Amino acid sequence: MTVRRDFKEPARCRPDLVIGREELFTSARDQLARGGSVLLHGPAGIGKSTVLRALAADYGDPARTVLRCSATESESHLPFLALADLFGLVLDEISDKLPAAQRTALESALTGRGESTLQRDGLALRLAVLSALRALAAERPVLLVADDLQWLDSASAELLGFAARRLGDTPVQLLCAVRTEGQEYDRHLRASPPDTLAVRLNPLSRAQVSALLDHRGYTDLPRSTMREIHRTSGGNPLFALELGRALGENPTPPRPGEPLPVPTSLRALVLSRLDLLSDDARRTLLVASAGARPTLALLHAAGRENAEAETAQAAELGLLATEPEGPAVRFAHPLISAALYAEAPVQERRAAHAALSTAASDPIERARNLALATTGTDPEVAARLAEAAALARDRGAPSVAASLGLLAARHTPPDGTPAPDERRLQAAEDAITAGEVDLARDVAREVLTRATVPADRIRAWEVVIEAAGQSLGEVDAVFPQALADAGDDPRLLALVHYRLAWRKLIVDGDFSEARQEAAHTAELAARGGDRRTELMALSFQASTETLMGHPNAPATIKRALKEPQDPYVACHHNGVGAARFRWLLMSDQLPEARSTITALLREARRRGMVESEVHFQRFLADTELRSGHCGRALDLSRESLRLARDSGIGLGASAMLASLAEASGGDVDRALALAREAADHAGEDGDQMYLSRALAALGHAQLVAGDAAGSVASLRRVRELELGLGITDPARGRWQGDLAEALVRVGEPGEAQDVIDVTREHALRLGRESVLAVLDRAEALVRAAHGDHEAALARLTSVQDRLAKLGYGLEEARAAFALARLRTRRPGPTSYDEAARLFRRCRALPWLRQVDAAAAEDPAGPAPVAAQPPAADALEGLAAMERQVAALVMEGATNREIAARLFISVKTVEATLTRVYRKLGIRSRVDIVRLAAGRHAK
């Protein structure tokens, strides 16, 4: 018997249905595959029904009987309605398999004949539902899919709960969704089978909201608008989609500083209780919605004398959630504030802003409200807004500065000084700093339609070029126009030639030409008296010389470090600090490189320089990776990639470094996917420089994954690319040792030796000690391939010691691993203990798995490291929170530190550890650390 199914989607995971829910979907799908049940829960609009449908389509194949019900609020008073939905189609198939009393009671309940009730036929009905499920399960497994459990009629809910608690080993699974707030799902969980997994759907991140809107066709929204959609929706996918639709249909975008337009559908959803408020309480809430950080004191100062009573009334209605520890007034959901503001008449909004323009204590907030309370141009208002923008800039809030700058331009008279377009350009530059490149480009393009002053036009062209990021080939037509606008002014020409230097590097892939263009830019800037551009050009020249192994690099860095300095250049990702960091890193000065980049990252964050923060976080991850701190590098690289995806800046570079970190300390399959993603980004951008880095990461991941042939193919291409680019410093990508090792593995030791010889010549010239050590490790493998085992062993022992002294922990461990492997070819006992210890210290999980595999194949018998299952396997049976806590214990974190990292209480940490001990069959934290090496929490 096959029951007609309600879900017609193919039985597979539909990515469009689970955007931002991939890990959750996999966890629920695995629970179903193990024979368990799943209860999805979360607030309205969070995507429960979407995930439910996707899971049912993926898991409810024809080999199962799928029963479905979907309750609604308007029908929740009808008894047995859900039961009829579930069993209506199969009643004829199972009725003759039920005892007479049970059959009569069930038929009466489903058909409405006989006026069956729980009071009269309670036991018979309960047993009938249980028997019906068992009868269906005797034919094939049963999947019961129920959406919106909160609206289930009470009779059906009682009967299903009774059966669910008594199914035992009967192959009946429940896949349910219920609307809840907080922990309200407990009641529904108690009515589910004992093995039910409760899965809460949390709000989406900004990047996930962006991906969702992109998928639905809302692709032209600026990132600043996307940020507002995420803030206003609170990460709720339904709310975000409705806001995106309203923006797409609204020909007039909101003014800077104003909340987003809220569609009628959402207003009705969140403001249904607004009519219960008094008029005065509603006005008080409007003032709160107009303020950035409303407090009771602020509301009093704005003229709302009865703010306490009025906010208390709103809190009782669920509109406000007053903070328990402080005077802040917080809306229960950001959408309530936006909807309340959108619902108010324009004159009432302006009145609220006018009150706040004098009541707010912060000058930025006063200026913003003054602008929103004023119509038309007003020089005084414009001046106050410009001052507030400068203050926001100094505070490290460039996004706020950009918004205030655009408001200042709006209120500046056409003949004002500074002119409106000058203020717009400043706002565009602030937007660039904040990572809002779409907004910056749009503002600059608008200015270019009317600007006639060469300095203004060059400034606008700079923004357009900067907004292109790595895709400089897309703005090729800009450069001739910018050169024409610059005329013979050396100051303006320097600005254009600095961008041309970057184009020669990224698009043409010519390091030598880029270096010469940078040197020419520095000369032009010095003649024009533009110290900032001169320093940026010298920094670029120094970085280029460092990467290409030019002997002048140290001297150029010294020139760039001479006074006078510029604070902006000092902490910019293309400034002198970054150039010095690259030189330190490539010169094996890891501690100094780490301290340098840590200070730069701190300053970039303080200033709100988003693009610099993305790159500096990646640089720090690279430093930690070279030092052998794979867990730390993995955390940093993932955060850098998240920030890159969120801002749309440095995606290729961040994916490349994340790939290297995953291959060393995380998941090799993810490393391969990220490396290919990085290569795709570089190819799309026409970025030759990062294409070679991405392919080097791919080759490394392939080597770790055991695909030596693939690694050789990728790294041979890197060799060709870098030869064409003119890159001779092997410390730049450090791929040569991997290529030589892969060549040995595929039986090409001759080509491997050639790679080693050519690379060693450059490494000796530049004094790259760590590269020389890695090359010696690869040469030992070549010698072993030729049968000279004694020389290979001696070389590897020396290499391990040299790498340890240089602080390259992971490379040291790889040398120890190669040494252990080589010793297995000689008679006598061998051990992989040392390699395992070093990889464990580095948290290099993929390499530890290789050690386990090699030890298992050791003819002398498995080494102790393989005597127990790797922690990666041991932790698989733990829940997500349990895995995170266990991984942090392995890193040495205390319970209090774990609580702070995971935003949970110390008591929760202790309870979670107790469950971990029980599941793993261990007794203490020490036993966790003794596992093969643990698994770093993802």
Side-chain angles (χ1 to χ4, degrees), residues 332-349:
H333 192 283
L335 189 62
I336 296 175
S337 173
L340 179 65
Y341 187 92
E343 191 82 2
V346 173
Q347 61 272 21
E348 289 188 15
R349 294 188 211 170

Side-chain angles (χ1 to χ4, degrees), residues 57-72:
D58 188 67
Y59 186 69
D61 57 51
R64 292 178 179 82
T65 296
V66 180
L67 308 176
R68 182 195 178 201
C69 69
S70 183
T72 62

